[in-house]
Amino acid sequence: MRESILQSKVIRHFELIGWYVVKIIQCNKNGMPDLMILKDGKTFFIECKAEKGRLSELQKYRHEQLEEQGFRVYTIYKMDEIKFITK
């Protein structure tokens, strides 16, 4: 599945269950995850990748930075992995 299609499905899924989803298109920090998911004072991030996609070294670094700040960051390659995301 193409990354853009996966991303759209993830957005739709979380919005249907009441989460506020922000697609991060451009910001002052390159390598940020694709999506920021928010609800009830909780925030986590999701990076969507095509099945054969890989995280760049910069993306790995940004994910580590976010995790050091106490945020959860998930990388998913297909929709069935969404069940492993703990909110």
Side-chain angles (χ1 to χ4, degrees), residues 31 47 49 54-63:
E47 178 70 40
K49 287 289 184 192
R54 295 181 187 187
L55 291 175
S56 70
E57 290 304 312
L58 180 57
Q59 287 174 316
K60 291 175 188 176
Y61 176 71
R62 292 289 181 227
H63 292 194

Side-chain angles (χ1 to χ4, degrees), residues 21-73:
V21 181
V22 177
K23 181 177 176 181
I24 302 173
I25 297 171
Q26 184 176 10
C27 68
N28 66 327
K29 303 280 189 210
N30 291 333
M32 286 292 287
D34 299 317
L35 305 173
M36 180 170 56
I37 318 289
L38 309 103
K39 181 179 177 181
D40 299 329
K42 298 175 187 172
T43 302
F44 63 93
F45 296 86
I46 296 177
E47 178 70 40
C48 298
K49 287 289 184 192
E51 287 190 44
K52 295 185 182 198
R54 295 181 187 187
L55 291 175
S56 70
E57 290 304 312
L58 180 57
Q59 287 174 316
K60 291 175 188 176
Y61 176 71
R62 292 289 181 227
H63 292 194
E64 288 173 13
Q65 284 184 314
L66 288 166
E67 289 168 345
E68 286 172 2
Q69 292 295 318
F71 295 103
R72 283 181 269 162
V73 182

